[in-house]
Amino acid sequence: MTKNIILSADVGGTTCKLGILNDSLEILEKWSIETDISDTTGRLLLRQIYEAFVSKMEEKNLLMESVIGMGIGIPGPVDFEHGIIRGAVNLNWPDKVNVIEIMKSFVDFPVVVDNDANVAALGEKFNGAGKDADDVVAITLGTGLGGGIISNGKIVHGHNGSGAELGHFRVDHDQRFKCNCGKWGCIETVASATGVINLVNFYYPKLTFKSSILELIKNNTVTAKAVFDAAKEGDQFCIFITERVAQYIAYLASIISVTTNPKYIILGGGMSDAGDILIENIKTEYFHLTFTPAQENTEIVRAELGNDAGMVGAAGLIKTYIIDKE
């Protein structure tokens, strides 16, 4: 029987996005299930994912015997070689969980697991904004800041799985805000949606700018979206905050450029929806900061796959590490 199906799971703290793809990474079917975090061992959730695949395959008259492998993205640090997640707070997995070992108790085909930000970067490399490039960096700008680095066509993991933890570059050398990692001054504290709010609350009492979002600030209901929307309308305080955020992201991008020299630096996550008011500022500062040969022909672009990036990238794990090795 021809094996031409890849099963893909992008596991999040609220939902698991599941997909059935072909070996060209075209999505044949996609759906989601609720993430069950009641079991700290990981086994219950992984069994639920397996059972969801079995049910959907039967519904679509597809045979499990046609599956090449299963790729899984998990929100946590990963020991890629052994398929072990070294704790996943959002899943209520406080300890190490050997995802491959557990899933292989249900299936007899290859299983590959990686960090969710890494697989999202891989998805953009295969079918998104970084298509056909072997050197791609994805920066995810959401509640936090994450990312993945693809170098020479392969995900950068590092010796213990902590490679490309982009949110934890120290860029705020005054160390004004504490990061969830326990350190101070990480870029996540000044250039994520949370970081935008940190900067608003820090700078507003110190500056003389008037602002249309004053009531939101006073009521502690300000959001990154509100800041960017006001900046687009010419609000000087919000333009100031937007420029500060852009400078931090550009600094991160400049460091990445002299480290791995990517063809594409891809900006995704909810904050990328701010559009040109943020992205053009990032580009301008990036080209001022970055070593000239390292920036040559590098493009800063918006992500294209949206919520499908992790699903495509998880399937891309099978293409990269199973199919292309045969």
Side-chain angles (χ1 to χ4, degrees), residues 21-68:
L21 294 85
N22 62 23
D23 51 9
S24 297
L25 303 187
E26 297 168 329
I27 298 172
L28 306 177
E29 191 73 24
K30 64 178 181 178
W31 73 105
S32 63
I33 63 172
E34 184 178 347
T35 301
D36 187 336
I37 62 171
S38 62
D39 170 36
T40 61
T41 71
R43 187 172 185 85
L44 175 61
L45 177 58
L46 293 172
R47 178 166 58 80
Q48 290 171 342
I49 290 171
Y50 162 72
E51 290 173 348
F53 278 127
V54 170
S55 176
K56 186 64 70 172
M57 291 283 283
E58 289 177 353
E59 177 188 326
K60 297 299 176 181
N61 294 317
L62 297 171
L63 299 176
M64 294 296 280
E65 289 78 10
S66 65
V67 174
I68 303 167

